[in-house]
Amino acid sequence: MSATAIRAPRGTLDLLGPAAAAHERVRARAAALFASAGYEQIETPAFEATELFVRGVGQATDIVEKEMYTFEDGSGRSLTLRPEGTAPVCRAYIEHGMHKRPAPVKLWYWGPFFRYERAQSGRYRQFFQVGAEAFGSADPGLDAELIALLVTLAQELDLRGLKLRIASLGTSESRAAYRQELSAFLRAHQEELPPEVRARIDTNPLRAFDAKDSRVAALMERAPLLLDRLSAQDAEHFAAVRELLDGAGIDYVVDPRLVRGLDYYTRTVFELSSSELGAQSGVGGGGRYDRLIEQLGGPPTPAIGFAAGIERLLLAAGERGASAEDRAPALYIAFAGGPPRSDERLRAFALWREALAAGIAAQVELCGRTLKRALAHADRIGVRHVAIIEGEELVLRDMRTRAQRACAAAELLYAIAQERG
Ligand code: AMP
């Protein structure tokens, strides 16, 4: 009786060949874009103290209330697999005293994130995000810069049907008065609200704008809007951001009902979506979080950032995102007489090492194929040159012309390198 095969956990993906290569391509594009804009890469651990997300993301958020993978380690510490990247990057910014660096401090990251969400197409329990955070400037130019970087990344990946929505959530002061007004509005319509919205009337009333329920959505059409309650400075900041986007020809719509899921945002928030995605249309989003560093124990530091989901970027790019990269090895090393003798195997191994050292992609025949089958295999995987080992002899075969000639190893590698330019 055979054992039951174990499957990958629900909501996770194995990245095989082309999928892994596609991820890598997005990472490389992002790395080049961020480097050219002066962003430094940062990698933080995949897990953090649970307290970081409770304080950083906010208790009354979906993430903290129901989506975190939290566990105790061997010494009873509560740890959580990171559900998002901003709080960890802020933690690192404070821990390494980065406020002493010349501002703005600009960082970007890439890696896996974990949320216990209902899995569906475009929504996973482990997913990859690429993100950027910039610290130490309240200038609206930084808001426009981050928005432009997100849009540029999506455009470079040839995403279609893009829609950028922006709004301003004001500062915590202007929001406090508005929250009371909104709470009062929601309380007056309590009986029309589903339990999860009702439960947050006092703790996070703005989330009512995110409710999927059509009755709530209809009610929220009549709700007072934060954009109408901004202080003069907040309104001026928002106008400056829009002016920069207009000047740069970046299309957007102002969406007064865009609140974003997380508690920490202040002033500018933005979200990029693609009509080529289904229900999970969000490609990326972010916003300003001028109080977060302070809330996490650092010095008052204005900051702004965004994150984009790699799986969503790839889904929205579709086949256009895939390039016909040449992954075929340049050299295949086979044996004239089928399974090699030990001295032939040694020679093949040495030649393979020399080829790799010379920057030539190479593979050795390792499945005991006869020469005929090895050549057929080399053809199938698109190899241009085959080195055939027979005792002390070495023959180079050009798979395109079928020409064969005996040569020494050094000459063979030189010829291949020359041809590849
Ligand atoms: P958020 O941190 O929720 O603002 O998410 C930023 C981006 O990450 C989203 O626009 C998505 O592209 C991606 N994302 C968030 N959650 C998931 C998930 N569960 N599965 C796949 N991608 C996700």
Side-chain angles (χ1 to χ4, degrees):
M1 201 176 74
S2 62
T4 324
I6 297 169
R7 301 175 65 95
R10 191 171 159 68
T12 66
L13 297 170
D14 291 316
L15 295 177
L16 308 181
H23 265 236
E24 180 49 31
R25 221 162 27 239
V26 176
R27 203 199 65 80
R29 286 272 174 93
L33 177 66
F34 289 129
S36 67
Y39 286 68
E40 182 181 299
Q41 191 176 356
I42 179 167
E43 281 197 36
T44 61
F47 58 84
E48 296 272 358
T50 301
E51 177 68 12
L52 174 66
F53 301 112
V54 174
R55 265 163 67 186
V57 178
Q59 183 70 60
T61 57
D62 282 350
I63 288 185
V64 172
E65 277 183 354
K66 51 190 187 205
E67 295 173 359
M68 296 205 298
Y69 281 95
T70 296
F71 59 98
E72 272 190 13
D73 71 3
S75 42
R77 289 184 199 90
S78 180
L79 299 171
T80 293
L81 296 183
R82 57 183 181 182
E84 58 97 54
T86 300
V89 172
C90 289
R91 196 257 317 131
Y93 175 88
I94 297 166
E95 189 165 334
H96 301 285
M98 289 192 225
H99 61 279
K100 295 189 202 103
R101 296 189 187 182
V105 174
K106 301 175 177 186
L107 304 171
W108 77 276
Y109 61 85
W110 158 280
F113 292 83
F114 310 86
R115 292 183 196 172
Y116 183 69
E117 293 197 84
R118 216 157 37 77
Q120 61 184 84
S121 170
R123 190 160 71 193
Y124 310 100
R125 292 180 175 172
Q126 173 175 310
F127 54 97
F128 281 75
Q129 279 187 342
V130 61
E133 316 286 348
F135 301 91
S137 165
D139 193 295
L142 199 58
D143 305 43
E145 173 171 317
L146 272 291
I147 293 172
L149 284 171
L150 172 60
V151 170
T152 305
L153 180 63
Q155 286 171 342
E156 282 192 2
L157 295 168
D158 208 8
L159 264 66
R160 308 264 167 89
L162 290 174
K163 182 173 174 186
L164 174 66
R165 292 178 300 138
I166 66 170
S168 174
L169 298 181
T171 47
S172 31
E173 293 75 34
S174 55
R175 198 151 77 210
Y178 168 76
R179 273 170 67 129
Q180 285 192 353
E181 186 184 353
L182 184 63
S183 296
F185 171 84
L186 291 172
R187 215 169 290 116
H189 297 87
Q190 269 204 61
E191 59 295 344
E192 300 164 51
L193 300 174
E196 73 271 15
V197 178
R198 207 179 306 164
R200 288 178 181 170
I201 286 184
D202 293 312
T203 53
N204 198 348
L206 273 86
R207 286 308 306 278
F209 285 109
D210 276 348
K212 298 283 173 282
D213 191 303
S214 57
R215 280 201 326 178
V216 182
L219 175 67
M220 297 316 283
E221 289 290 321
R222 293 186 278 130
L225 295 174
L226 181 48
L227 264 188
D228 300 329
R229 305 286 188 273
L230 295 183
S231 69
Q233 293 96 315
D234 293 344
E236 198 180 308
H237 183 96
F238 192 45
V241 175
R242 293 199 318 265
E243 190 184 0
L244 284 163
L245 297 179
D246 291 336
I250 295 174
D251 287 334
Y252 62 86
V253 290
V254 174
D255 179 355
R257 289 178 182 79
L258 174 64
V259 293
R260 306 262 316 136
L262 313 182
D263 257 0
Y264 50 58
Y265 290 116
T266 50
R267 292 193 159 171
T268 315
V269 287
F270 52 99
E271 210 160 278
L272 186 67
S273 58
S274 164
S275 57
E276 304 218 343
L277 296 172
Q280 301 300 315
S281 64
V283 168
R288 220 173 227 295
Y289 49 91
D290 290 343
R291 306 300 285 274
L292 183 58
I293 291 287
E294 219 176 327
Q295 278 164 26
L296 293 175
T301 309
I304 177 165
F306 75 80
I310 305 307
E311 293 81 1
R312 304 261 180 99
L313 284 167
L314 287 169
L315 278 172
E319 286 307 304
R320 292 186 308 280
S323 73
E325 250 170 74
D326 189 7
R327 278 189 297 275
L331 174 66
Y332 199 81
I333 304 170
F335 305 96
R341 301 196 314 254
S342 67
D343 62 311
E344 290 175 324
R345 182 178 282 127
L346 275 171
R347 295 190 59 217
F349 190 56
L351 180 60
W352 174 74
R353 301 239 308 148
E354 280 175 54
L356 294 195
I360 296 169
Q363 289 181 23
V364 181
E365 168 53 51
L366 294 173
C367 293
R369 292 184 179 89
T370 61
L371 181 58
K372 192 169 162 223
R373 283 177 187 271
L375 291 177
H377 176 66
D379 220 21
R380 196 166 48 235
I381 62 175
V383 174
R384 177 73 198 277
H385 292 99
V386 176
I388 304 166
I389 293 179
E390 183 169 24
E392 300 288 300
E393 296 290 307
L394 188 58
V395 169
L396 175 62
R397 178 185 171 97
D398 186 323
M399 295 299 287
R400 235 176 270 172
T401 63
R402 299 189 185 165
Q404 290 195 180
R405 65 187 168 99
C407 59
E411 188 191 336
L412 178 146
L413 295 175
Y414 182 75
I416 295 174
Q418 285 300 100
E419 215 159 289
R420 296 170 66 237

